[in-house]
Amino acid sequence: MTRLFFKFALFVVAGGSVTLASLPIAEAQSRRPNSTAMTCGQVQSMINQRGAVVLSTGQHTFDRYVSNRNSCQHGEILRRDYVPTKDNNRCYVQRCVNPQPWRIN
């Protein structure tokens, strides 16, 4: 009976440590930078440094913003857009869009 208890305890400890180890990774991956918590300069600098960033722009809204056309897929073009930031309600950014979304290539 003690062997069975020992195996069960080992299983619980091992399983718990794997679960706990994966929590910070999952939490970090689910977080997106929030434009409303940064200044306009910080948002633009982040986009320029990374080339492309998925930004939360509100509680349930997000989009992918890019620094130049190189971050767009074939056939997409740059579109001017504005996001809310801590210091500016209309911070200039760019995003990739399909110019003819109804056309199938």
Side-chain angles (χ1 to χ4, degrees):
M1 176 135 140
T2 58
R3 281 182 121 175
L4 181 63
F5 178 75
F6 178 74
K7 286 183 179 181
F8 177 73
L10 185 61
F11 176 76
V12 169
V13 169
S17 64
V18 168
T19 303
L20 289 176
S22 66
L23 282 178
I25 295 169
E27 182 179 332
Q29 289 175 348
S30 68
R31 288 189 178 175
R32 284 187 290 271
N34 189 343
S35 70
T36 60
M38 297 185 286
T39 65
C40 184
Q42 289 173 326
V43 168
Q44 291 172 340
S45 177
M46 178 185 290
I47 294 169
N48 286 332
Q49 287 175 359
R50 297 182 184 180
V53 178
V54 176
L55 282 175
S56 291
T57 56
Q59 186 175 3
H60 302 290
T61 57
F62 63 92
D63 209 340
R64 181 175 179 264
Y65 300 98
V66 298
S67 61
N68 57 49
R69 170 79 175 72
N70 294 337
S71 298
C72 296
Q73 293 191 8
H74 179 71
E76 290 183 325
I77 61 171
L78 285 179
R79 170 100 11 109
R80 185 180 297 210
D81 204 355
Y82 300 92
V83 295
T85 59
K86 188 169 29 175
D87 64 340
N88 186 350
N89 201 28
R90 289 179 49 90
C91 180
Y92 172 73
V93 292
Q94 301 176 109
R95 62 188 175 91
C96 301
V97 296
N98 187 344
Q100 298 175 338
W102 60 88
R103 184 176 178 195
I104 299 173
N105 293 336

